[in-house]
Amino acid sequence: MKKFNLRKVLDGLTSASSSSPASPQPGNRENDTIQETLQCEHFQLCKTVRHGFPYQPSSMAFDPVQKILAVGTQAGALRIFGRMGVECYCQHESGAAVIQVQFLINEGALVSALSDDTLHLWNLRQKRPAILHSLKFSRERITFCHLPFQSKWLYVGSERGNIHIVNVESFSLSGYVIMWNKAIELSSKAHPGPIVHISDNPMDEGKLLIGFESGTVVLWDLKSKKADYRYSYDEAIHSMAWHHEGKQFICSHSDGTLTLWNVRSPTRPAQIITPHGKQPKDGKKPEPCKPILKAEYKTTRSGDPFMILSGGLSYDTVGRRACLTVMHGKSTAVLEMDYPIVDFLTLCETPYPSDYQEPYGVVVLLEKDLVVIDLGQIGYPLFESPYPLTIHESPVTCCEYLADCPVDLIPALYSVGSKQKRQAYSKKEWPISGGNCGQGAQSYQEIIITGHADGSVKFWDASAMMLQVLYKLKTAKVFEKYRSKEGALDEDPFAIQMLSWCPESRVLCVAGVSAHVILYRFSKQEVTTEVVQLLEVRLQYELIDVESPETGGDPGPPPSTPGGPSSPPPSTPQPHPSTGSGSPDGPQDSAPCLRVRSSPLKQSPGYQVELVIQLVWVSGEPPQPITSLAVNSSYGLVVFGNTNGLAVVDYLQKTVLLNVGSHELHGSSEPYQKQPRSPRKTRQPSGDIASTTSCMCGLSSLYTESVKKLRASYISLCDINEGSAPPEDRCKSPTSVRSKNSRFSKMVVNDLAKVSRKLSLPSDLKPEMDGKENSFSHSGSSSATSIDRESREAITALCFSETFARKGDSATTPCLWVGTSQGAVLVISLSLPPAGEQRLLQPVTATPCGSLVRLKGSILRMGLLDGTGALLPPACELWWDHNTPDGAEEREGQPRRRPAAGTSPSSQEAGESHFAVVCSEKQAEVLALPSLSSPFKQGVTEASFALRADTLQLNGAPCLACFCANGHIMALSLPRLRPLLDVNYLPLTDMRIARTFCFSNNGQALYMTSPTEIQRITYSQETCDNLQEMLSELFTPVETPEAPNRGFFKGLFGGGAQTMDREDLFGEAVAGKASQSLAQHIPGPGTVEGMKGAASGVVGDLARARIALDERGQKLGELEERTAAMMASAESFSKHAHDIMLKHRDKKWYQF
């Protein structure tokens, strides 16, 4: 039952009054005839799946029968993994860290222990696991838990040294308690410390091995309730493990030693091993080493046992990476890990602790990775992981999401990506192979693209609720190796800032933080590029003197003239040729930030570089970060903009078509033109420029200075806040030095700068506040002042289209729509020569046509609809391999352009009207073309501002989706802009979400929920209804392996494993009830009690009535079963009585 939303009603009334259609104009009468099929019932928001490595893992467990793995995190999350495609995410409401996880082996259940001293029982027999019971301890701190195989009694150790016992079926405490003062020696005066280990003897369930942190070990007899043996060692204990025969156990200690104990010899250890300690020649004690945090002791039938441990390295190995040590017989292998080890466990053939373990693998949980080592092969190779755990290999800086991509795209990317795998993996299959994949996956294919801080771009197959890496592109290969100068703050000069991709033509364009743009084309052939094609663009913001329009002379190329319909700018400005020259010791004019490699570049099949475009230093100032990017394969153009202006590049002819400042795009008579506030002449370079360090804006919008020192931990993207340093902080030139306490400038990177403001700040106060923030700039600096930056109009949105460029046009022409940070929408008309050879010889002209409309807030997205209301995507070219002779022939036979699905070609040919959809941070507006009337207008948000917006297709109809800084996800119909969805989903907590949130068709969206994980969501009602079928199953019916055969002699003489009825010891009838103040039982939402507690109001009454009916039906069913059983028993008794009567009927009394 859907909740009544008063806000939606009010928004609808407001939109009805504010977005009433304008007076009918020629060409707009069809507004009333467009039928919108999308309704509120088509929308529902919910999470689908989460991909990636669990962020900040803390614990791990494995079910050896079901073969599924569970990982707990410090944020209270549980990630459960099975075979490829089987992943599940669960979250504890408290958010407390998961300190330990225990499977009920082959039972489809899981117990989690949290740092807030709470135990939870999870039901894994459903696709979305739910908590059945919870137990909150109030007087004890949980430190260790142990659940024996095929037992329903859970041992819980506490910080005080006591052990409590929990019945996992009812989640109630037993009255049986092992107190620390009874376990240790009575003569001992010191507290033994917290419990660090609990385990029962593999051969005798009645003997419990208890390890205290101080070094004391106790073998406790559960039946007699006393200690059989006590073992003591001088060093603290970190972990313990049994030999499968139950006669020996090992302990790992804080001095890097392993002690091997015989159960019946408690006085001293049978053996002391220091795996990494130097043995002195004089027989003295080895030098102490680092603590051995965990050790496991596994036996085999045909050879020596395995001792596997983490830690224990010598203290003189400073800077050495974390290691896992595998000791097998006389050989010792030290396996270095890329990250610190959180936990590890050994995979064994049998779940029975009393049998030979036969280990075949080791699962190692690292801080930022999960690896499985094959113990059965020489060299201990790794198993190849089927999970997408390398998303965070380098921090993710941007994302793109494409649902319903061309069918041949994923196979093409996979074919070139499969050749990139060079690591020698184990030949065996992945051992974590439990669960079943979902059945009702979508019929369309999906691709996710991630850009990273090291300049790499990864393509992922996201179809069928799974995620697999397809192909990895390294953009840093285009440049020379960057050598950071001493004191420079640029650590990620190749980081990807934004992507623009044409999936039909497979043309990819990436923009980096060093003000560079690289265009790639896809080819299946390997080529060697002798010289990388390079264009250097001088994108300068000219401040025009209002009284004297002439500007001062500059030795560089003259700036472009103001564009307008009457005075078009030069169509092909001369680019600055370069043979790979980069920035010298200090920044200087016409020098880029990176040096393009001059040696030949070998390019493997896949994406190959076509053109590199670099912005250069101008007048002693570094190039500003690129804020918008677009590429069109049909036109052969790439366009990008920043706070200074806009550049249009013809990548076929390798020329710059247009290079203008943002204020020059407005005509001189434009009503929306904004004149610069601070008139001044063009500056000359400062005299001391050569002595400064080179500019590299680094991750200017993603990292703070304090965070950059922690780059190795990959937490930088999580810690970004509104105090992040501005890009100018990273350019250590005297011309651009700013105070470290200054904040984002309003015009740096639009979507990031907006997030740094207070969410409740009214829009009319934002410029004033930004002006105050920018007032921290040094007055003597030759960089632009805060007033100048306030007057700059950044390019924030770009859109290619084929529509009406001017008011009253009768035919459509290729156009470029430009949106700015001041809310202006401008159009540039494009004149293209005919296709073929003429396209490569004749110039392309670009003519600014002036402003169309101005909205409140920065422009986020623009899109086109045809006269029927269907989406009109940009024209595109089908892919052809430009490195093969056959590719050119295929291209000639293909159409030059094609409209995508959902368009109406007939309406384009007939020249009917179009609709332009424009969305800003505050408003959405629909313009009718070519009349330029505004029939529909809708406010997006008042108290906040939109961060992401996109025009999408859902159920074959268009809509506008928005994500706001206050966490609301909204959907509006097109073209009427009716509110269809408004859900308060995700309050913006850090910059990573704003940077990576993206929508896609068919009701799909995603964002980086942590530095290592991608969260996918849907806003489609149809997908939500089918989600249960799409999700994977964790539990599958599997028979438990048979218990090991004790053999004739062991059975005869009692040498086998001894069982014990724990119910006789821990049951309420014998042990009594535990104190109610010790722990509180909390019914989970997955139980009937939890459903009763959650029900309220009318819905609650209905739920309670339904529960009562279910209980009544269940009782009636039980009564019917008992009645049937009694009838069957009576019938059987009657039959036996009749048989006895027949047998003895004719016998005499003496025959009995």
Side-chain angles (χ1 to χ4, degrees):
M1 183 173 179
K2 295 187 176 180
K3 295 184 178 179
F4 178 74
N5 194 332
L6 181 61
R7 181 173 179 180
K8 284 188 177 181
V9 178
L10 296 177
D11 289 343
L13 294 175
T14 305
S15 63
S17 60
S18 62
S19 62
S20 57
S23 57
Q25 299 184 17
N28 289 335
R29 295 179 180 177
E30 68 277 5
N31 299 347
D32 300 329
T33 62
I34 296 178
Q35 298 293 328
E36 294 182 348
T37 58
L38 287 180
Q39 303 297 330
C40 295
E41 292 74 20
H42 294 121
F43 291 85
Q44 183 181 346
L45 192 68
C46 68
K47 296 181 180 180
T48 53
V49 291
R50 179 174 293 201
H51 303 295
F53 181 77
Y55 183 55
Q56 294 181 337
S58 56
S59 56
M60 177 175 58
F62 181 71
D63 188 328
V65 179
Q66 288 289 320
K67 295 190 181 301
I68 56 177
L69 181 78
V71 177
T73 72
Q74 296 181 22
L78 280 176
R79 293 284 302 278
I80 304 174
F81 299 93
R83 68 176 70 231
M84 184 178 68
V86 177
E87 293 184 45
C88 182
Y89 165 77
C90 312
Q91 177 67 48
H92 295 91
E93 291 185 1
S94 64
V98 181
I99 60 175
Q100 198 172 353
V101 187
Q102 289 270 315
F103 274 105
L104 276 68
I105 296 177
N106 204 27
E107 295 292 336
L110 177 79
V111 175
S112 58
L114 307 188
S115 60
D116 63 353
D117 309 311
T118 308
L119 296 175
H120 300 278
L121 177 64
W122 290 84
N123 178 18
L124 305 183
R125 291 175 177 257
Q126 54 196 55
K127 291 191 174 183
R128 287 190 179 273
I131 294 178
L132 296 176
H133 301 281
S134 298
L135 196 63
K136 172 69 175 177
F137 284 79
S138 56
R139 294 187 299 176
E140 296 271 18
R141 302 279 300 177
I142 299 175
T143 58
F144 193 87
C145 298
H146 171 63
L147 181 64
F149 178 50
Q150 294 182 329
S151 170
K152 68 175 183 178
W153 298 97
L154 174 71
Y155 301 102
V156 181
S158 71
E159 192 176 39
R160 294 184 179 180
N162 303 324
I163 295 179
H164 303 275
I165 302 173
V166 178
N167 187 328
V168 294
E169 291 181 351
S170 62
F171 240 56
S172 58
L173 273 177
S174 168
Y176 192 110
V177 181
I178 303 175
M179 305 299 293
W180 67 270
N181 53 357
K182 294 183 179 179
I184 66 172
E185 294 281 357
L186 297 178
S187 59
S188 178
K189 298 180 180 179
H191 190 279
I195 300 287
V196 296
H197 180 84
I198 306 172
S199 61
D200 48 350
N201 190 314
M203 287 297 179
D204 189 353
E205 295 178 352
K207 309 293 184 181
L208 198 65
L209 191 67
I210 306 170
F212 296 90
E213 188 182 57
S214 63
T216 301
V217 180
V218 176
L219 186 64
W220 182 264
D221 190 327
L222 292 171
K223 294 181 179 179
S224 62
K225 298 183 181 181
K226 65 179 182 178
D228 283 352
Y229 301 100
R230 295 181 178 92
Y231 316 83
S232 182
Y233 194 70
D234 296 337
E235 299 293 335
I237 294 176
H238 285 275
S239 70
M240 302 172 64
W242 279 102
H243 187 280
H244 84 278
E245 292 180 347
K247 298 178 181 179
Q248 291 181 327
F249 62 89
I250 63 169
C251 301
S252 68
H253 299 276
S254 58
D255 63 345
T257 60
L258 290 173
T259 54
L260 178 64
W261 298 82
N262 291 324
V263 171
R264 299 183 181 274
S265 302
T267 55
R268 57 187 179 86
Q271 188 177 2
I272 300 177
I273 306 171
T274 309
H276 299 285
K278 296 179 181 179
Q279 300 291 339
K281 296 181 179 180
D282 53 3
K284 294 183 179 179
K285 188 177 181 180
E287 296 180 359
C289 297
K290 297 177 183 178
I292 298 178
L293 302 178
K294 185 176 182 179
E296 290 198 349
Y297 195 14
K298 304 298 180 181
T299 56
T300 61
R301 296 181 185 274
S302 58
D304 297 318
F306 281 88
M307 282 191 184
I308 305 169
L309 53 103
S310 63
L313 296 178
S314 175
Y315 279 104
D316 58 6
T317 56
V318 179
R320 187 173 181 178
R321 294 184 294 182
C323 296
L324 185 79
T325 305
V326 180
M327 303 172 63
H328 184 215
K330 296 181 179 180
S331 67
T332 300
V334 180
L335 310 177
E336 285 195 353
M337 302 293 158
D338 293 334
Y339 308 103
I341 298 175
V342 176
D343 194 6
F344 76 89
L345 53 86
T346 309
L347 304 180
C348 301
E349 295 288 351
T350 175
Y352 293 93
S354 59
D355 195 8
Y356 287 96
Q357 300 300 292
E358 300 294 342
Y360 60 89
V362 182
V363 183
V364 187
L365 179 63
L366 309 175
E367 281 190 359
K368 295 175 182 62
D369 201 0
L370 178 74
V371 297
V372 181
I373 301 168
D374 185 359
L375 294 178
Q377 294 190 25
I378 300 175
Y380 303 132
L382 298 180
F383 288 93
E384 184 176 2
S385 173
Y387 312 135
L389 301 181
T390 59
I391 294 175
H392 62 287
E393 186 176 19
S394 176
V396 177
T397 55
C398 61
C399 290
E400 290 292 333
Y401 187 15
L402 179 67
D404 199 10
C405 62
V407 293
D408 60 341
L409 189 56
I410 289 180
L413 290 171
Y414 178 79
S415 64
V416 296
S418 60
K419 302 175 183 178
Q420 295 179 329
K421 299 177 182 179
R422 297 180 179 178
Q423 184 175 353
Y425 291 104
S426 171
K427 297 180 181 180
K428 299 179 182 178
E429 294 184 359
W430 182 251
I432 306 170
S433 56
N436 289 322
C437 298
Q439 302 297 325
Q442 298 100 327
S443 59
Y444 50 86
Q445 295 181 341
E446 301 171 86
I447 286 182
I448 296 173
I449 311 177
T450 54
H452 299 264
D454 62 353
S456 61
V457 178
K458 291 183 181 180
F459 294 78
W460 305 83
D461 180 7
S463 309
M465 309 294 280
M466 294 165 37
L467 193 68
Q468 280 185 292
V469 66
L470 292 172
Y471 174 71
K472 181 178 179 180
L473 171 66
K474 297 180 180 180
T475 64
K477 289 183 177 180
V478 178
F479 303 100
E480 300 286 354
K481 290 185 178 180
Y482 178 72
R483 294 176 177 84
S484 178
K485 303 297 187 297
E486 185 176 357
L489 298 177
D490 39 312
E491 296 193 359
D492 295 297
F494 310 113
I496 306 299
Q497 193 158 353
M498 58 186 59
L499 303 163
S500 180
W501 190 41
C502 179
E504 284 79 10
S505 64
R506 305 180 190 174
V507 173
L508 174 68
C509 198
V510 299
V513 295
S514 300
H516 63 273
V517 175
I518 310 176
L519 187 131
Y520 290 91
R521 299 177 76 173
F522 188 86
S523 176
K524 295 182 179 180
Q525 305 296 321
E526 181 178 308
V527 297
T528 300
T529 304
E530 297 296 333
V531 178
V532 177
Q533 296 291 326
L534 172 65
L535 278 180
E536 292 182 352
V537 178
R538 187 182 179 91
L539 199 56
Q540 182 178 3
Y541 179 76
E542 295 288 350
L543 287 171
I544 309 299
D545 195 324
V546 178
E547 297 179 359
S548 176
E550 294 81 13
T551 59
D554 188 90
S560 303
T561 58
S566 59
S567 60
S571 59
T572 55
Q574 181 65 32
H576 295 267
S578 174
T579 58
S581 61
S583 57
D585 293 339
Q588 62 182 14
D589 280 354
S590 304
C593 297
L594 293 175
R595 183 190 299 271
V596 176
R597 64 181 297 166
S598 56
S599 58
L601 176 63
K602 183 179 179 181
Q603 304 194 73
S604 302
Y607 274 101
Q608 299 170 354
V609 61
E610 177 83 3
L611 177 66
V612 178
I613 307 168
Q614 288 184 294
L615 296 182
V616 298
W617 285 67
V618 177
S619 301
E621 282 195 3
Q624 294 298 310
I626 294 171
T627 57
S628 56
L629 177 70
V631 66
N632 187 283
S633 59
S634 179
Y635 304 156
L637 301 178
V638 58
V639 57
F640 57 91
N642 59 10
T643 57
N644 287 341
L646 176 77
V648 182
V649 175
D650 183 347
Y651 67 80
L652 297 178
Q653 299 186 19
K654 310 295 188 296
T655 58
V656 180
L657 303 179
L658 192 66
N659 180 5
V660 293
S662 53
H663 65 280
E664 295 177 284
L665 291 171
H666 300 273
S668 58
S669 60
E670 288 293 334
Y672 303 123
Q673 184 181 11
K674 189 167 183 178
Q675 292 292 340
R677 300 182 182 180
S678 175
R680 61 177 172 158
K681 304 293 183 178
T682 304
R683 297 182 308 278
Q684 298 295 333
S686 302
D688 56 346
I689 290 177
S691 62
T692 59
T693 59
S694 63
C695 162
M696 199 61 56
C697 292
L699 273 180
S700 55
S701 306
L702 298 173
Y703 297 116
T704 63
E705 290 194 49
S706 60
V707 169
K708 289 195 297 182
K709 298 178 181 179
L710 303 176
R711 270 289 283 106
S713 64
Y714 286 138
I715 310 177
S716 54
L717 286 177
C718 180
D719 296 335
I720 299 167
N721 49 40
E722 64 179 12
S724 299
E728 289 83 358
D729 269 7
R730 301 188 179 275
C731 306
K732 305 305 284 187
S733 164
T735 64
S736 58
V737 175
R738 297 188 57 189
S739 168
K740 292 184 179 180
N741 294 328
S742 61
R743 297 187 178 185
F744 277 132
S745 169
K746 182 180 180 182
M747 300 305 167
V748 180
V749 181
N750 176 64
D751 56 341
L752 296 175
K754 296 298 186 285
V755 181
S756 65
R757 308 170 190 166
K758 295 183 179 179
L759 302 184
S760 60
L761 188 65
S763 59
D764 55 339
L765 296 181
K766 285 182 179 179
E768 298 177 12
M769 181 175 180
D770 290 328
K772 293 179 181 179
E773 291 175 350
N774 293 330
S775 64
F776 288 101
S777 300
H778 292 289
S779 58
S781 172
S782 63
S783 63
T785 64
S786 60
I787 297 179
D788 298 332
R789 277 189 297 272
E790 186 66 29
S791 66
R792 297 193 185 190
E793 193 169 6
I795 308 299
T796 58
L798 298 166
C799 176
F800 284 100
S801 64
E802 191 157 340
T803 184
F804 305 95
R806 298 177 179 85
K807 183 176 181 179
D809 281 359
S810 59
T812 61
T813 57
C815 300
L816 171 64
W817 287 59
V818 181
T820 72
S821 58
Q822 299 293 345
V825 177
L826 309 102
V827 177
I828 297 176
S829 177
L830 304 173
S831 177
L832 300 169
E837 293 184 2
Q838 297 297 320
R839 174 64 182 85
L840 301 177
L841 298 175
Q842 298 182 15
V844 179
T845 58
T847 307
C849 301
S851 302
L852 294 183
V853 69
R854 184 180 291 273
L855 277 66
K856 292 169 61 177
S858 177
I859 302 298
L860 298 178
R861 182 67 65 177
M862 297 172 293
L864 271 295
L865 306 176
D866 63 13
T868 64
L871 278 178
L872 195 63
C876 60
E877 183 182 60
L878 292 177
W879 174 76
W880 59 281
D881 198 333
H882 59 283
N883 287 331
T884 60
D886 297 338
E889 297 177 2
E890 293 177 7
R891 186 193 182 195
E892 294 297 330
Q894 293 174 355
R896 178 169 174 263
R897 307 183 185 96
R898 64 164 186 172
T903 63
S904 177
S906 60
S907 65
Q908 301 178 51
E909 297 171 0
E912 296 180 0
S913 64
H914 289 171
F915 295 99
V917 182
V918 182
C919 184
S920 73
E921 295 174 320
K922 292 288 186 179
Q923 294 175 315
E925 188 170 351
V926 173
L927 300 176
L929 302 177
S931 63
L932 291 184
S933 63
S934 178
F936 308 109
K937 195 172 184 179
Q938 172 71 40
V940 175
T941 178
E942 290 296 333
S944 183
F945 53 92
L947 291 165
R948 285 286 181 270
D950 208 346
T951 53
L952 307 162
Q953 211 165 17
L954 177 65
N955 297 340
C959 66
L960 176 66
C962 303
F963 171 56
C964 300
N966 59 3
H968 282 248
I969 292 180
M970 307 173 61
L972 305 173
S973 70
L974 290 177
R976 300 183 184 277
L977 299 178
R978 293 181 296 109
L980 299 174
L981 175 72
D982 188 356
V983 178
N984 187 3
Y985 168 71
L986 180 72
L988 188 66
T989 54
D990 53 50
M991 202 70 67
R992 179 188 57 256
I993 297 174
R995 190 65 179 161
T996 58
F997 197 101
C998 49
F999 293 100
S1000 188
N1001 289 325
N1002 300 317
Q1004 307 298 324
L1006 64 82
Y1007 60 93
M1008 292 290 295
T1009 185
S1010 73
T1012 63
E1013 296 169 291
I1014 290 179
Q1015 177 66 59
R1016 293 168 65 179
I1017 62 176
T1018 182
Y1019 50 93
S1020 167
Q1021 176 68 51
E1022 181 181 359
T1023 305
C1024 292
D1025 293 341
N1026 299 329
L1027 185 60
Q1028 192 68 18
E1029 297 180 4
M1030 300 178 187
L1031 295 177
S1032 55
E1033 295 180 349
L1034 297 175
F1035 179 80
T1036 54
V1038 180
E1039 290 188 6
T1040 303
E1042 294 184 1
N1045 188 5
R1046 292 193 301 173
F1048 174 76
F1049 291 103
K1050 286 187 177 180
L1052 182 64
F1053 298 106
Q1058 299 181 20
T1059 60
M1060 178 189 67
D1061 189 357
R1062 295 184 176 91
E1063 184 70 30
D1064 293 341
L1065 289 177
F1066 307 144
E1068 184 177 332
V1070 178
K1073 291 185 178 181
S1075 173
Q1076 295 183 357
S1077 62
L1078 181 61
Q1080 177 188 1
H1081 178 263
I1082 305 172
T1087 60
V1088 174
E1089 291 82 357
M1091 294 171 63
K1092 290 180 179 178
S1096 61
V1098 177
V1099 179
D1101 294 337
L1102 292 174
R1104 280 190 289 271
R1106 188 179 296 110
I1107 294 170
L1109 287 174
D1110 292 342
E1111 292 178 347
R1112 184 171 180 271
Q1114 184 178 357
K1115 292 179 180 178
L1116 289 175
E1118 294 175 354
L1119 179 62
E1120 185 177 355
E1121 290 176 358
R1122 285 197 295 267
T1123 304
M1126 292 177 63
M1127 291 178 64
S1129 177
E1131 185 177 354
S1132 175
F1133 178 78
S1134 173
K1135 181 180 178 181
H1136 284 297
H1138 183 70
D1139 291 341
I1140 293 174
M1141 184 269 295
L1142 292 178
K1143 181 179 179 180
H1144 300 287
R1145 180 177 57 182
D1146 298 330
K1147 289 185 178 182
K1148 302 298 181 180
W1149 62 271
Y1150 52 84
Q1151 292 177 331
F1152 286 100

